[in-house]
Amino acid sequence: EEEAALVRLCHRARTDKEPEAASWYREQGNREFKRGQYRAALRLYSKAASHELPGSPEVSLCFANRSAALLHLGHFEVCLEDIDRAESHGYPDRLLPKVLLRKAECLLCLERLQEAQDILKVLESKIAQNGVVTTHLTQLKKLSQLKVKLHEKERCSEPAQEARGGIPGEPEIWEKNSRISGASSSLSLRFDAERGRHLVASQDIVPGQSLVKEEAFVSVLCPGESLPLQDGDTAWDTRATNADLYCHRCLRPLLASVPCQGCSYAKYCSQDCADMAWQQYHRTECSLGALLLTLGVFCHVALRTVLLAGFAEVSRLVEWSHRGDKNLQNPEARCKPLSDAGAGSRGIPGCGSNGQYQSSYQALFHLLPHTEQHSPEHKFLCMLSVVAICKQLQATGLEAAVLNQESPQQWSKPKTCGKTSDELSPELKTVAEAMLRHVLQLQCNAQAITVMQELG
Ligand SMILES: [Zn+2]
Ligand SMILES: [Zn+2]
């Protein structure tokens, strides 16, 4: 019954590629473009690209259209990237003069005169081949305009200034703490059963002093709230959600996004980010998109955490947390605050054996889940959510990817012959247990932040 309800809910959060949505978004983009709303057009073309099937010629049209919007917005470098993308995705030959003109215009604006000249030559020979009849008159006019512009620029050309000095390293603003990496020496690390691991001031802190700087172990893009909520609501939404505005991996604002090959949800700032995300976690998360959106960001963070940590580390810590359990069947005991073993020389859970704190999965695993403070209903719901994720991993044949047992060749295509048994494999049970722990940890840490905000 719960499973059926979940399936219904997932239908509202669409992350599959829908080619019909793509052409619809592209039309909307064209409409905005004609109205001179280039930024809106840009977003709609990105949405369209995310719905096109990879390798289809239509996806090249999306990139080409988007490059036109980028040119109008003055983003010449990004415009060139999109033109290259269009060309490498099979842009139709007969339309090529149009984008070549755009490319030459971009290069001229960027003062890359030699390249602009080369492009114009290619264009001229193309037009000579095709014959003037098939070439648009406006294109010929544009070509001669660009040639004049090129000539002018060449006459008064100065060497292009690329005087961008190296970005100065951020000055070290604090005296480093010898025991806590990334923290100021004004802090020390403590532990108690109620609050878990925490920082206290060990000397006076000046207003504005930087105290801690640590890269997040895991981060997930918050989807925002504009998901269609009506049952049977099929209208595609032209509004931009966070998924349209920020990179799925590094969270940078998006200009011309690179769509995921598998879903319409994940969009990246660059092909590099797309490749890295795929390698680190998205090859597992991709087909689970709708489920993760439905279950919420805590479940998503929990899954990504175990994927980033790797199964070896996850199972090491889960097994270690069982040590000393009198009653293995008691999930409360399994999520107990860990206090003794692995606690480091100073007795602070999550630190290395030398008592040093460092950002790591071990440090994260030892955050308190405060199991006793969650209501039984809430814990049950969390468990159902986590089991739903693991079941889908098993059913879609992604288990090997989670357990890091596959060869890199298998990354690109998960096998779909998954087991359909009701029982989770022992390994996935371990994964589920770790994920449940993380969901509960997230819940109480989020509450702690809210309390801090309320207290100012
Ligand atoms: Zn990125
Ligand atoms: Zn994807």
Side-chain angles (χ1 to χ4, degrees):
E1 209 177 304
E2 283 86 359
E3 272 189 272
L6 191 55
V7 168
R8 270 203 309 282
L9 282 170
C10 285
H11 272 300
R12 298 179 187 174
R14 296 172 169 211
T15 59
D16 292 341
K17 290 197 184 283
E18 298 174 75
E20 291 140 53
S23 35
W24 186 80
Y25 279 126
R26 200 145 54 83
E27 274 164 34
Q28 299 297 314
N30 290 341
R31 183 183 297 176
E32 293 295 333
F33 189 90
K34 281 189 195 126
R35 293 173 51 209
Q37 301 294 318
Y38 302 118
R39 193 155 285 280
L42 183 80
R43 295 225 174 98
L44 290 162
Y45 290 141
S46 293
K47 272 179 183 278
S50 72
H51 275 288
E52 295 289 6
L53 301 173
S56 69
E58 283 80 11
V59 76
S60 73
L61 298 180
C62 296
F63 293 139
N65 287 3
R66 197 170 66 179
S67 73
L70 285 163
L71 179 66
H72 279 281
L73 290 166
H75 296 290
F76 305 119
E77 305 267 5
V78 193
C79 173
L80 288 174
E81 283 173 26
D82 254 2
I83 292 175
D84 286 345
R85 260 179 220 129
E87 285 182 289
S88 68
H89 283 79
Y91 192 69
D93 204 51
R94 64 191 163 82
L95 298 175
L96 210 53
K98 206 162 70 173
V99 290
L100 288 179
L101 279 171
R102 194 173 299 148
K103 196 170 183 174
E105 200 174 346
C106 262
L107 290 165
L108 275 178
C109 292
L110 291 166
E111 306 284 333
R112 286 156 66 175
L113 305 184
Q114 185 58 50
E115 289 165 82
Q117 192 171 32
D118 295 346
I119 294 289
L120 289 178
K121 270 186 199 149
V122 172
L123 193 58
E124 273 179 315
S125 69
K126 214 161 181 53
I127 289 174
Q129 259 176 31
N130 296 353
V132 184
V133 197
T134 56
T135 311
H136 230 280
L137 274 176
T138 49
Q139 285 178 10
L140 282 177
K141 201 169 147 199
K142 185 90 196 173
L143 174 65
S144 59
Q145 277 173 356
L146 285 180
K147 279 171 78 176
V148 171
K149 218 170 172 183
L150 175 68
H151 190 63
E152 279 170 5
K153 289 213 176 198
E154 272 172 341
R155 276 208 340 228
C156 55
S157 78
E158 295 157 39
Q161 287 178 359
E162 201 75 29
R164 211 181 287 166
I167 304 150
E170 262 179 65
E172 278 303 329
I173 8 178
W174 55 52
E175 217 178 302
K176 276 187 190 158
N177 192 307
S178 59
R179 308 199 85 113
I180 317 164
S181 87
S184 138
S185 59
S186 311
L187 299 172
S188 63
L189 199 59
R190 297 280 166 77
F191 178 85
D192 65 46
E194 192 199 333
R195 278 172 294 188
R197 193 175 63 223
H198 58 278
L199 291 166
V200 293
S202 55
Q203 44 184 278
D204 282 345
I205 292 167
V206 191
Q209 193 185 338
S210 296
L211 294 175
V212 185
K213 184 178 161 191
E214 189 183 82
E215 187 102 15
F217 183 85
V218 56
S219 52
V220 162
L221 181 62
C222 230
E225 285 165 30
S226 43
L227 289 169
L229 284 171
Q230 308 286 303
D231 253 331
D233 186 359
T234 54
W236 296 302
D237 200 342
T238 52
R239 286 173 300 174
T241 68
N242 280 347
D244 302 307
L245 299 175
Y246 302 99
C247 175
H248 188 71
R249 178 177 169 273
C250 71
L251 312 180
R252 283 196 186 92
L254 289 175
L255 190 57
S257 56
V258 177
C260 170
Q261 300 271 299
C263 64
S264 63
Y265 180 70
K267 303 179 190 75
Y268 300 94
C269 67
S270 61
Q271 191 61 48
D272 277 353
C273 253
D275 293 343
M276 265 189 279
W278 187 261
Q279 187 193 330
Q280 290 177 317
Y281 46 79
H282 195 67
R283 65 182 199 276
T284 313
E285 292 178 359
C286 188
S287 62
L288 270 59
L291 181 64
L292 292 172
L293 280 177
T294 305
L295 293 177
V297 77
F298 283 1
C299 285
H300 196 171
V301 173
L303 173 64
R304 190 169 293 180
T305 303
V306 299
L307 293 175
L308 286 171
F311 181 69
E313 190 65 359
V314 170
S315 82
R316 180 180 79 85
L317 284 157
V318 168
E319 265 167 46
W320 172 82
S321 74
H322 289 178
R323 250 184 261 162
D325 273 3
K326 300 223 167 60
N327 180 2
L328 278 177
Q329 298 308 312
N330 177 3
E332 301 253 341
R334 288 188 184 193
C335 283
K336 72 187 190 318
L338 306 158
S339 46
D340 41 0
S345 58
R346 289 164 73 211
I348 294 183
C351 289
S353 50
N354 53 1
Q356 282 250 347
Y357 168 83
Q358 209 145 28
S359 168
S360 64
Y361 182 64
Q362 174 170 310
L364 189 149
F365 191 87
H366 284 80
L367 293 171
L368 293 188
H370 283 302
T371 323
E372 64 292 343
Q373 287 172 27
H374 298 287
S375 71
E377 292 83 2
H378 176 69
K379 280 185 278 198
F380 183 65
L381 197 65
C382 290
M383 204 190 50
L384 277 186
S385 305
V386 162
V387 168
I389 292 176
C390 289
K391 276 194 148 184
Q392 191 159 342
L393 287 171
Q394 191 161 282
T396 47
L398 283 163
E399 189 180 351
V402 181
L403 307 181
N404 312 112
Q405 288 168 347
E406 45 165 17
S407 61
Q409 287 79 17
Q410 286 172 286
W411 283 2
S412 47
K413 35 182 161 179
K415 45 192 185 312
T416 42
C417 59
K419 290 170 259 176
T420 45
S421 80
D422 261 1
E423 182 86 3
L424 287 179
S425 72
E427 291 83 7
L428 276 179
K429 278 184 188 162
T430 301
V431 169
E433 193 179 327
M435 277 170 60
L436 178 58
R437 185 181 179 89
H438 299 323
V439 172
L440 296 175
Q441 285 172 333
L442 281 160
Q443 188 79 30
C444 50
N445 280 293
Q447 270 162 9
I449 290 170
T450 317
V451 169
M452 262 167 51
Q453 281 173 340
E454 279 165 5
L455 294 175

